[in-house]
Amino acid sequence: MPFFRPSNAFLNWHLPESGLPPVTLRMRPPSWGLTLRAVFLMVKRNTRKEHIHRMRTAALHFTVAMLLIAGRAPAQSPDTPAASTVTQPSATASPAVQQLLSFQPSEVKFPLHDLMDVLSDRRHEGWVLAAYPDPKTRQPLIGAGFSLDLPAREHPQRDQLNPHSFLEPSSADLWQAAGLQPARLQNILVDFQQHSASWTRKNRRAKINSLAPQISDEDANLLLRIASIQAIENARAYCRNFDRLSASLCQTVTGVETSQNMLEAVATRQLLLEPMDLEGHWFRYHHLLREYLCQRLKAQSGDEVAALHRRACQWYASQELWTDAVKHAIAADDTDEAIKLIGNCAMALVRKGDLLTLLGWQRHFPADLMRGQIDVRLAIAWGMALAMRFDEALAMLAATEHDTAAGTLPERENIHWECQAIRSVVTALQDDPQTALTIAQTCLDHPSTDAWTTNVVSNVVRFAHWKAGNLESLYATPWIPYSIEEDQRNVFSSVYRLCLLGLAEMQQMRFALAERYFMESMRLAEHYAGPQSTAAALCAPLIAQIRYEQGRLNEAEALIVDRMPAINAAVLLDSVLIAYLLLVRIAVSRSNNEQAYSLLDQAQTLGYTRRWDRLIAAALVERTRLQLAEGRMAEASACVVQLDRLAATYSVPQRSNSTEIDNYRALGSAYLAMAQNRMQDAVALFSSLLESAERRHSDSPALHLRITLAVACLGANERTRSVDVFREVLKAAATAGVYRTILDQGPEIGTLLHAVRQGMPCTAQTKALSSYIDHLLEGWRERYRPERRQTTGAERESLSARERNILELIAEGQSNKEIARILGIAPETVKSHVKSIFIKLSVDKRAHAVARAQALGLVRSR
């Protein structure tokens, strides 16, 4: 979306013009958004505060606010001066662009120019007529924050009852839709790339004020108009959390026989109600309207509310819409009926991963009321286990088995083995894989008649084998395939299985296959449970880990940040650990150590709360590295002391995870030894850790340890061994596509990269490896040699158009003769240009020139 990226926020809105009471909204924006400042200014003009314009929110809430404020649609909606020149749809335009160009201002109840007027606020940097970088992503923006280089992307509509589709065309498409020439956009981007290196946080404001205009006010208004329309269209597509109404339901609750006509009349008048299907059987209204109407009902007919909820409960139950029926039974304070109804949907919620809904219901009922509802109690125990409420889950299981002790033998047996299955899940999520395997394997020997229970237990077995490094046993663990219909109901167990298989592939450094598993799990989670579900939160850190490794830090962060509440609440320890470590390292890469320490504090607090010692140990090691990088030797030593104490509690060999905790202790000690220049001690520790990783077939951790071992050997003046070890690292890393793991080891890695590169023969067999090392060297220079960044702008400007063309062809693998034939010039001329390129980029080989050009943005990375 061309406007600023949104972020989650809580917001109290008071809309006095609408007559509604204050309401609280939970913002959960999609990938497009508008500034929250715009909403405030439209709603209440006198609340202009400087901090507001830094906040972001979704365009949906802006549209809803406009609909609430506007009493009626304007008779004639005046548009901006640019509206008269709006481009008409062409036959060659994409469907999304054609839909944008077909928009009519009469489709909304507020004047479009009001939205545009607010967003074009010229008192800040919201109206710049030349390209400038976004302060976070450094992507080029222009006008009122219009992004210039975003690609088109798919944004599928997950709500089958929503007829509106998301519109995510590319920046170039939107530029053309605004009636502007594509060549102008390309020239602006080229100019931006040439000068982007000179932008810093300190000079940002001054440079914005000194920019020469690249577009006119009229052009900016055209871009603003088309982007505003896109926001409105996406708001329609995003309106998913609407309550539903039907004529039958309304008639049952109110007794009004003309309910269908009334609903159609309300929808026709656009009073926040619209049909959900072509036949007009179902309608939906926004929750703001619901809040208002409910308060009026309580004020005027408060004694009738409970009876209305009972009627609604009966109607939903007759339609087998159990979740809605339970909600109305609870609202009617009919606990007996609610408990009976929960039995129809409790396990369905667990299998879908909607744990918080079920556990939220459970709080409404005293324990004695559910004593006879064994199925409900077992479902709640499943929910508690998967939501990391371990002690409550175990207490529920013990009470259930006690209460059924007098039952028939088959019933007792079935309940016992289901309780054992839940105990295996609790034990696995408590990070005790050995004990969990013992319990789960016994359950598999007494298979349940329920495929979901059997598959969940098999996931526990799979998890335990993965942690033990028994990958053959992991792959041999049975799984009962679901049908397509069952996949929708049992999404949580399917997502867990795919994630565990992906983690096993990551461990073996088969990143491409791991990514396929993770993406498939995310597809299932988002499609059947929702993008903010617990299932999606389980997958997100795993995909983010791959994106981080590829150097795509912004994408990695975006996958995790908005899902952190769900990740903290109900996700496997390994996903939680990955999420925190990624966010910490992203913060460090942005020189935001304060944020990194805050994240480590949160991770350790969660570790102590859940008794996840592995999370505590990982956070202490990361804190040690960060403090050593800052020269805080005493604090780092204190962290190692804490690791020693933690490892001492695992002195009993039979205790689960003792090896991993001891490895974290050794890793922290090795980092401290390196900082204290005790290189031989560090080499010995890293060598021991490497042997342990290799015994467990942990290829990815072993690669990481070989890198640190090479750095330690270099510090110990064992240069030959260091280079040999690192050469083998690069051969394995090049195949897997490892990038950030190598660069994260510190500036010393540059010495090893240069040593391996210089000693490498130039042959056809080493071409791919040479290119990979050159790519790493460029990344190292950008990260650890900031003085190089000051020269990038001059390097870009010094290359002629012809030299850039030749660079692109070199990057494609063309020889001098092939380039000459393509460009229609002599080979000697090409050779002369290549020599000039080498001089200007300070390189001496073609591969180096390509890598340098990719770092400067002159050539696309392939």
Side-chain angles (χ1 to χ4, degrees):
M1 170 66 191
F3 285 103
F4 295 111
R5 306 284 184 189
S7 64
N8 284 349
F10 284 96
L11 170 64
N12 289 313
W13 262 359
H14 185 202
L15 309 179
E17 296 90 339
S18 68
L20 298 182
V23 295
T24 301
L25 296 181
R26 173 73 170 110
M27 306 302 182
R28 189 173 288 169
S31 63
W32 41 266
L34 299 173
T35 59
L36 182 60
R37 173 171 47 88
V39 178
F40 272 85
L41 294 176
M42 289 295 296
V43 173
K44 200 170 183 182
R45 293 277 182 174
N46 64 343
T47 58
R48 182 186 296 275
K49 295 183 179 180
E50 180 65 19
H51 74 276
I52 293 176
H53 91 282
R54 290 296 178 191
M55 302 173 66
R56 319 281 200 261
T57 190
L60 163 64
H61 302 96
F62 174 86
T63 306
V64 172
M66 296 302 97
L67 291 170
L68 286 171
I69 295 169
R72 58 181 177 84
Q76 284 187 333
S77 179
D79 215 331
T80 60
S84 60
T85 59
V86 171
T87 306
Q88 295 303 311
S90 67
T92 58
S94 67
V97 171
Q98 291 189 43
Q99 183 175 340
L100 291 172
L101 295 175
S102 301
F103 174 82
Q104 297 296 325
S106 58
E107 295 178 23
V108 292
K109 294 185 63 179
F110 56 90
L112 183 61
H113 72 82
D114 282 359
L115 168 57
M116 295 171 59
D117 180 57
V118 172
L119 294 176
S120 63
D121 175 31
R122 301 165 192 242
R123 296 176 59 178
H124 305 290
E125 56 203 54
W127 192 258
V128 183
L129 301 182
Y132 64 99
D134 182 285
K136 283 192 174 181
T137 66
R138 298 192 66 80
Q139 290 177 321
L141 309 175
I142 202 167
F146 183 97
S147 295
L148 294 172
D149 63 348
L150 292 184
R153 70 171 195 160
E154 292 292 329
H155 191 151
Q157 175 57 270
R158 303 298 187 190
D159 187 351
Q160 298 178 358
L161 295 176
N162 192 331
H164 303 289
S165 58
F166 289 100
L167 303 182
E168 294 285 358
S170 66
S171 299
D173 283 340
L174 291 171
W175 181 275
Q176 287 186 268
L180 304 181
Q181 294 299 316
R184 291 182 61 193
L185 174 60
Q186 189 59 36
N187 291 336
I188 291 173
L189 283 172
V190 170
D191 186 68
F192 175 83
Q193 290 169 356
Q194 291 177 345
H195 298 91
S196 61
S198 62
W199 287 83
T200 65
R201 291 182 179 179
K202 292 183 179 180
N203 68 9
R204 173 181 160 79
R205 180 76 63 177
K207 285 185 69 69
I208 284 178
N209 294 333
S210 64
L211 287 174
Q214 293 172 305
I215 60 174
S216 65
D217 267 353
E218 184 177 356
D219 296 335
N221 271 309
L222 288 168
L223 294 174
L224 181 59
R225 184 183 190 278
I226 203 70
S228 300
I229 294 171
Q230 184 191 8
I232 292 170
E233 294 293 344
N234 281 336
R236 291 170 172 167
Y238 193 67
C239 293
R240 298 175 60 191
N241 297 319
F242 281 59
D243 287 315
R244 301 180 298 167
L245 295 172
S246 72
S248 174
L249 171 61
C250 292
Q251 185 172 338
T252 300
V253 174
T254 65
V256 177
E257 296 183 357
T258 58
S259 295
Q260 182 71 36
N261 293 335
M262 291 181 64
L263 288 171
E264 292 175 355
V266 172
T268 302
R269 291 179 173 83
Q270 299 184 28
L271 298 178
L272 285 182
L273 187 75
E274 64 175 1
M276 298 174 66
D277 51 41
L278 296 176
E279 295 79 14
H281 294 159
W282 283 97
F283 295 78
R284 58 182 171 186
Y285 57 88
H286 196 270
H287 61 88
L288 289 180
L289 179 61
R290 181 185 186 280
E291 295 281 346
Y292 172 60
L293 295 177
C294 286
Q295 291 200 18
R296 285 193 60 182
L297 177 63
K298 289 179 181 178
Q300 296 176 5
S301 307
D303 54 341
E304 300 180 19
V305 172
L308 295 174
H309 279 299
R310 288 192 188 94
R311 293 178 200 168
C313 171
Q314 293 168 2
W315 186 89
Y316 279 113
S318 70
Q319 304 295 315
E320 296 186 357
L321 299 171
W322 305 115
T323 303
D324 293 300
V326 171
K327 291 178 182 176
H328 285 286
I330 291 174
D333 202 23
D334 191 345
T335 54
D336 291 336
E337 182 65 18
I339 292 174
K340 292 178 184 177
L341 292 169
I342 288 174
N344 294 294
C345 61
M347 278 307 298
L349 292 172
V350 172
R351 290 169 177 169
K352 184 181 177 182
D354 192 357
L355 312 175
L356 300 183
T357 296
L358 178 61
L359 298 180
W361 290 347
Q362 180 247 345
R363 296 191 187 97
H364 289 275
F365 312 118
D368 58 327
L369 287 180
M370 292 190 294
R371 192 173 299 278
Q373 301 290 331
I374 300 301
D375 290 343
V376 174
R377 293 170 70 182
L378 288 173
I380 291 173
W382 275 113
M384 288 174 171
L386 292 168
M388 311 297 164
R389 289 164 56 175
F390 305 132
D391 294 339
E392 294 175 74
L394 294 174
M396 177 74 76
L397 294 175
T400 301
E401 289 183 313
H402 177 271
D403 293 342
T404 58
T408 62
L409 182 61
E411 181 186 25
R412 291 203 312 271
E413 284 288 310
N414 291 336
I415 292 173
H416 168 72
W417 289 116
E418 184 161 4
C419 288
Q420 285 296 92
I422 299 172
R423 287 191 180 96
S424 74
V425 171
V426 170
T427 309
L429 294 176
Q430 286 178 316
D431 205 33
D432 188 354
Q434 291 180 12
T435 307
L437 177 60
T438 302
I439 301 172
Q441 196 64 60
T442 307
C443 291
L444 285 182
D445 295 337
H446 298 79
S448 170
T449 56
D450 178 30
W452 188 83
T453 301
T454 301
N455 282 339
V456 169
V457 172
S458 78
N459 277 336
V460 174
V461 173
R462 209 170 274 111
F463 167 75
H465 287 319
W466 169 58
K467 297 304 295 182
N470 300 326
L471 299 185
E472 290 184 5
S473 299
L474 180 149
Y475 293 127
T477 302
W479 174 264
I480 303 175
Y482 296 126
S483 66
I484 295 176
E485 183 179 352
E486 288 173 331
D487 236 356
Q488 300 177 26
R489 298 195 300 264
N490 302 315
V491 61
F492 210 30
S493 58
S494 296
V495 167
Y496 254 99
R497 171 179 170 268
L498 290 168
C499 287
L500 289 170
L501 291 173
L503 285 166
E505 300 305 324
M506 285 288 290
Q507 183 172 305
Q508 300 170 80
M509 290 183 60
R510 298 203 288 251
F511 292 169
L513 183 55
E515 184 174 7
R516 287 210 299 271
Y517 280 126
F518 296 150
M519 295 303 293
E520 175 61 15
S521 67
M522 180 62 86
R523 184 193 67 80
L524 285 175
E526 289 190 332
H527 188 69
Y528 296 125
Q532 298 297 327
S533 63
T534 303
L538 174 66
C539 319
L542 309 180
I543 300 173
Q545 183 179 26
I546 293 177
R547 297 290 173 265
Y548 178 84
E549 191 62 65
Q550 294 167 341
R552 297 154 66 179
L553 272 62
N554 290 332
E555 292 180 47
E557 183 182 40
L559 279 165
I560 300 174
V561 169
D562 291 342
R563 293 184 172 97
M564 280 308 292
I567 290 170
N568 284 328
V571 165
L572 181 73
L573 167 57
D574 292 274
S575 285
V576 174
L577 193 154
I578 290 169
Y580 274 107
L581 290 187
L582 288 181
L583 292 178
V584 166
R585 294 188 180 182
I586 290 170
V588 171
S589 72
R590 294 172 178 165
S591 301
N592 191 352
N593 287 7
E594 182 180 352
Q595 174 69 7
Y597 283 120
S598 174
L599 288 164
L600 290 172
D601 289 340
Q602 295 173 38
Q604 286 183 248
T605 299
L606 184 62
Y608 286 118
T609 302
R610 298 261 172 84
R611 298 189 291 276
W612 280 346
D613 290 342
R614 191 153 52 93
L615 180 60
I616 298 170
L620 285 170
V621 170
E622 203 65 20
R623 190 183 293 273
T624 301
R625 289 185 59 191
L626 187 53
Q627 289 171 340
L628 289 174
E630 295 177 333
R632 297 163 59 183
M633 197 72 68
E635 291 96 325
S637 298
C639 287
V640 174
V641 170
Q642 293 182 60
L643 284 166
D644 289 336
R645 291 173 181 168
L646 187 61
T649 65
Y650 282 78
S651 57
V652 180
Q654 290 77 18
R655 189 156 177 199
S656 205
N657 283 331
S658 59
T659 300
E660 288 194 70
I661 299 298
D662 194 60
N663 286 345
Y664 278 120
R665 178 201 60 77
L667 192 59
S669 299
Y671 285 134
L672 182 63
M674 287 178 65
Q676 294 173 340
N677 206 28
R678 295 185 289 110
M679 293 301 178
Q680 293 299 336
D681 292 343
V683 169
L685 286 167
F686 284 131
S687 298
S688 176
L689 286 168
L690 180 57
E691 291 176 7
S692 174
E694 290 173 340
R695 282 196 301 270
R696 291 183 289 117
H697 307 290
S698 300
D699 296 341
S700 186
L703 181 84
H704 176 273
L705 290 167
R706 285 192 183 93
I707 298 169
T708 52
L709 175 61
V711 174
C713 288
L714 185 67
N717 294 322
E718 299 179 24
R719 184 180 178 84
T720 302
R721 180 186 178 188
S722 173
V723 174
D724 290 343
V725 170
F726 195 64
R727 185 182 295 109
E728 295 305 312
V729 165
L730 292 176
K731 289 178 182 178
T735 304
V738 177
Y739 180 71
R740 290 291 304 192
T741 294
I742 294 176
L743 296 183
D744 283 347
Q745 297 308 308
E748 301 84 1
I749 212 70
T751 303
L752 290 171
L753 286 168
H754 280 294
V756 175
R757 184 67 179 86
Q758 291 169 1
M760 183 173 294
C762 186
T763 65
Q765 290 77 16
T766 61
K767 182 178 180 180
L769 183 57
S770 299
S771 178
Y772 170 68
I773 296 174
D774 291 337
H775 180 50
L776 287 170
L777 279 167
E778 285 302 322
W780 173 79
R781 293 187 188 102
E782 289 295 315
R783 182 167 179 180
Y784 296 111
R785 295 180 61 183
E787 69 276 5
R788 297 273 303 190
R789 300 176 190 170
Q790 300 173 4
T791 67
T792 55
E795 289 171 339
R796 284 195 186 98
E797 294 175 357
S798 65
L799 291 179
S800 66
R802 175 67 78 187
E803 288 168 345
R804 292 186 188 185
N805 290 340
I806 291 174
L807 256 179
E808 291 175 355
L809 293 172
I810 291 174
E812 294 174 3
Q814 307 289 350
S815 67
N816 284 358
K817 289 183 179 180
E818 290 169 332
I819 294 172
R821 186 171 60 254
I822 292 171
L823 298 180
I825 58 178
E828 290 302 318
T829 304
V830 175
K831 187 175 181 181
S832 176
H833 281 305
V834 171
K835 184 177 180 180
S836 175
I837 291 170
F838 284 0
I839 294 172
K840 291 179 179 180
L841 296 183
S842 302
V843 296
D844 56 3
K845 294 182 181 179
R846 295 165 74 93
H848 294 181
V850 171
R852 187 68 186 141
Q854 289 173 345
L856 294 172
L858 299 174
V859 175
R860 289 184 179 272
S861 299
R862 294 181 180 272

